[in-house]
Amino acid sequence: MERWQPVSVLSNIRRGEVAGVRIGGHEVVLWREDAQAATLHAWEDRCPHRGMRLSFGFVRDDALGCLYHGWQFGGAARCRLIPAHPRVRVPASIHVRTYTVREHAGLAWVSMEGAEDFPHQQADWPEHAQPVRTVHVHAPVGQVRHAVGLAPDGGMAWHGPVGLAVHEPVAGQAMLHVVRAADGPSALTLSHWAERLRDAVEGGAQTAPVMAELAAGATA
Amino acid sequence: MTSGLTLYDWTPDVRCYAVRLGLSLMGVAYDTQAADMDLPTFQRPVGLRPGERPPVLLVAGDVRMTRPGTIMQFAARQPAVARAWLDPAHEWAILDWLDFGTMALDALAAARDLAFGTTLPVLPPMGALVAALRRMEDHMSARAMAGHEWFAAPAASIADVLPFVVFALSADLEVERDTCPALRRWAHRMRGLPGFVVMPGVPDYA
Ligand code: FES
């Protein structure tokens, strides 16, 4: 399970958008094609030309363009246009390193090892979970996992209609991802709830009362 | 033809950038007097008073303003400027966030002065700046959930200008973009506004 990292709620990465995320200190660019299929991609956040972060770039149809010199990379991560030399056939060796990415339960999941086997046990999570919010927590990931009741190898913790997942952008910090089933509390309610949980974790306060709000359904 | 407005401007100063950005977005014309604060006092423009530092906006040689928040209000109240920048229907929310923005901009300026005024490879205490960014992120997350795209009104207003500068230039201070996803999406919209200008030397990637 640990091989698949939940990195973002899907509402943060809509059609035509680019977002940088970090996984254990590694910089990853998530981007979604501005094309009919609107496929989501996860690549190393580093342009093969001069190393610029691709997450500063832009989406052109089904390609990701680098902000620095405009090299464009197609869905297969191969460079297909060098604006300074538009007629040059770009060698296939110029490409970005790719990771595998899945969209499930309102979240983007990335495997940096390129795993293809998205685990089966996740099939019983609510199919139509809606993204609420990804919240940065300045605390070790273990502390946040413990607070929300996630086993170290668990992908998601469901508390009734509320789904929680955690990943570590860099040592000492955590990203908390919140999703909801259609019959759950409103996104706004859950967003404020997540802020209270974050503040409790960071402030070293008791998190159980905040978690108990979920159980009581009293998150208003 | 002269604009009647003179801005004493120091290019690398974040408050000056906030003023240039706001005036440009609102389409307000002005004359610039470059005031390089790294130069000795006697080489600075004569119009600048002792102890005064840019930005200073001079109106017809009479009124002078030094605070970005005041300058935003002054510009937004000019007859030729679109009312949306200080939308009467949302005036108090706009002014409230404008005031917040001036505080956050001061926190950014202080953190940058410390970070770039030293040769030590250490980051300054960022408490005030990080707290401001977090409040902005929480606010824009909630706004997005309510279907809003801007800080305080249905359209971009002067409430958006200073927070944008704070977010965009905090990248220099190693505030990672992935910690503020709602601000990233809003900043992208800001960059698409007519009249948007970048800060020289800061890549257009906020
Ligand atoms: S660094 Fe990306 S195109 Fe040059």
Side-chain angles (χ1 to χ4, degrees):
Chain A
M1 182 57 233
E2 191 60 9
R3 291 186 307 156
W4 287 96
Q5 303 271 357
V7 295
S8 174
V9 289
L10 290 173
S11 48
N12 283 345
I13 185 73
R14 296 179 206 263
R15 183 171 167 155
E17 289 187 3
V18 190
V21 298
R22 290 167 298 159
I23 305 175
H26 297 280
E27 290 165 353
V28 174
V29 56
L30 281 183
W31 68 279
R32 193 183 291 282
E33 295 176 5
D34 191 7
Q36 182 129 43
T39 308
L40 181 65
H41 300 274
W43 295 350
E44 185 178 22
D45 194 4
R46 208 184 125 75
C47 179
H49 181 217
R50 293 277 181 83
M52 180 73 170
R53 283 172 79 164
L54 287 168
S55 55
F56 300 149
F58 51 89
V59 176
R60 282 281 174 281
D61 306 322
D62 59 348
L64 179 62
C66 175
L67 182 70
Y68 210 173
H69 312 95
W71 288 25
Q72 286 189 22
F73 303 88
R78 274 175 51 182
C79 180
R80 63 182 191 197
L81 175 70
I82 298 178
H85 307 280
R87 310 179 69 136
V88 166
R89 257 184 72 98
V90 185
S93 56
I94 301 183
H95 66 276
V96 189
R97 181 164 174 204
T98 62
Y99 308 121
T100 42
V101 58
R102 295 282 183 279
E103 299 180 49
H104 193 78
L107 300 176
W109 301 78
V110 170
S111 166
M112 297 191 64
E113 294 85 16
E116 294 290 347
D117 57 330
F118 199 69
H120 275 297
Q121 79 255 29
Q122 298 179 13
D124 38 286
W125 297 343
E127 180 49 34
H128 295 295
Q130 296 162 8
V132 172
R133 191 178 161 190
T134 292
V135 181
H136 176 239
V137 187
H138 207 120
V141 76
Q143 221 170 303
V144 182
R145 281 216 179 98
H146 179 76
V148 303
L150 261 172
D153 60 346
M156 265 189 121
W158 280 92
H159 298 264
V162 181
L164 303 170
V166 177
H167 95 278
E168 180 178 64
V170 67
Q173 301 184 30
M175 301 301 289
L176 169 66
H177 312 286
V178 185
V179 302
R180 58 188 280 267
D183 59 344
S186 77
L188 193 56
T189 297
L190 284 174
S191 175
H192 291 318
W193 171 85
E195 290 163 12
R196 288 198 293 278
L197 183 69
R198 170 195 70 199
D199 294 349
V201 171
E202 291 183 349
Q206 291 280 336
T207 53
V210 185
M211 291 305 297
E213 293 177 31
L214 284 187
T219 33
Chain B
M1 201 186 88
T2 165
S3 61
L5 299 181
T6 305
L7 177 67
Y8 288 86
D9 181 34
W10 186 26
T11 308
D13 181 84
V14 294
R15 292 186 192 90
C16 288
Y17 171 50
V19 169
R20 292 194 302 269
L21 175 61
L23 294 178
S24 176
L25 287 169
M26 288 184 264
V28 174
Y30 58 92
D31 303 311
T32 302
Q33 279 277 357
D36 186 339
M37 299 306 280
D38 284 335
L39 292 177
T41 319
F42 67 87
Q43 289 184 25
R44 295 178 196 159
V46 283
L48 217 53
R49 289 176 181 165
E52 214 170 43
R53 52 176 286 154
V56 177
L57 186 70
L58 224 61
V59 186
D62 182 18
V63 180
R64 53 198 305 138
M65 288 168 273
T66 63
R67 295 293 294 162
T70 319
I71 295 172
M72 291 302 105
Q73 276 205 63
F74 168 82
R77 293 187 196 278
Q78 297 305 300
V81 169
R83 290 278 65 82
W85 289 100
L86 185 50
D87 185 342
H90 302 274
E91 186 167 343
W92 296 112
I94 292 172
L95 292 179
D96 201 46
W97 278 105
L98 180 68
D99 191 38
F100 174 89
T102 62
M103 180 276 292
L105 190 59
D106 287 340
L108 172 77
R112 282 173 67 95
D113 284 352
L114 279 171
F116 303 139
T118 171
T119 49
L120 298 175
V122 291
L123 280 175
M126 303 250 292
L129 178 61
V130 166
L133 284 166
R134 179 163 276 187
R135 175 140 183 248
M136 286 159 53
E137 170 70 16
D138 286 350
H139 175 65
M140 285 312 287
S141 297
R143 291 284 288 174
M145 285 167 197
H148 296 295
E149 298 194 320
W150 305 100
F151 254 76
S157 74
I158 51 174
D160 294 283
V161 179
L162 275 45
F164 173 83
V165 174
V166 172
F167 175 67
L169 272 57
S170 65
D172 276 6
L173 295 166
E174 295 178 24
V175 174
E176 285 290 336
R177 306 289 85 178
D178 62 356
T179 61
C180 305
L183 295 181
R184 168 178 58 76
R185 307 184 79 236
W186 155 82
H188 187 78
R189 286 192 283 275
M190 284 292 289
R191 288 200 304 272
L193 289 174
F196 178 83
V197 291
V198 295
M199 169 87 159
V202 176
D204 182 20
Y205 52 62

